[in-house]
Amino acid sequence: MLATDSFFMAMFFFLSGLFVWPSLAHKAPQVFIRDRLLRLGLPFAIAAFTIIPIAYYAIALRQHPDPGFSAFWWKTITVGPWPSGPIWFVWVLLAFDLTASLLYRLSPRLLDPINRMSLRGFERPAEFFLFLLGVTAVVYIPARLYFGPSHWFEFGPFDVQANRVLLYAAYFFIGAGVGAANFNRGVLSADGRLAKSGWGWVIATLVPYCLLWVLITIKREILGNPPVLPGWYEASYGLCFAAFSAAILFAILAFFLRFKRSGWSTLDPMQSDAYGIFLVHYPIVLWLQYWLFDYDLPAIVKASVAFVLTVALSWAATAALRKIPGATKVL
């Protein structure tokens, strides 16, 4: 959990950003905005009013088994809390896309400095890594010190973790800079040095990851797990967090650039349905956990059953939804 929480959302924003600038270059502003609203805004709105209340109703029943779903739904959207669950990523990505559209209209060459860094990264990926680490540490550490590790901005279903919103923006726009031009001659080139890397990035990943666990141990065993941690601790944790996020991104990219350039993967059949699976999986996994709660089974068995059934049912639901006329333009 520590590993995935520390990098995978930042990586998703980076990967999303890679394709923004070329899309803006080939589409009229109104077409780009229309496409993003259709692909991101519409699913978020539908999910916020349907999928998310259905998902959290399973939790509500465990706490208070009396209220019916209609009463729970009405309270959720009128009184709150109205959590967005995992779909917070969708509205934040839409906000970044709309911001990118505005910035592109101001200057299509705005991200050229990042693209030049990417070109230098063809031969010297470590320089680009240091650039990524420097930028993300600068935006993340002060936000962590100010907001703390777990505060969220919340306005209806529009949630985002306060100390990470600038971190995610940095990953998104740095990704956009990499993808803006010269992709085949930049840091992510299949012929570049990153694609030829060995175990160096794995080591670069393990060092900050181990330091994160050292800091967690210090918090629990030495500091006594206080509700408010000293500034030096939050700053140190923030630096290790930023270093781990950047290093594991490079390690994953290096692996796929080196070993997965072509050929068939067992996950290939899921590609067209992946976005839909992401949107519909949350109520399925929470209701499966609700159902499994009363069974006296080992945790690994429950986890395995929930995982397999979540993938199968989410995939089946997405495949069914995509058969609705016009749904493939959204899902």
Side-chain angles (χ1 to χ4, degrees), residues 264-283:
W264 186 84
S265 168
T266 54
L267 297 179
D268 284 352
M270 192 182 288
Q271 285 185 4
S272 60
D273 296 318
Y275 182 46
I277 291 171
F278 166 74
L279 290 173
V280 306
H281 83 281
Y282 200 51

Side-chain angles (χ1 to χ4, degrees), residues 27-47:
K27 293 181 179 180
Q30 64 273 19
V31 175
F32 177 84
I33 293 173
R34 182 201 65 194
D35 289 349
R36 293 297 87 194
L37 289 174
L38 183 64
R39 185 74 166 164
L40 299 173
L42 181 60
F44 176 81
I46 294 173

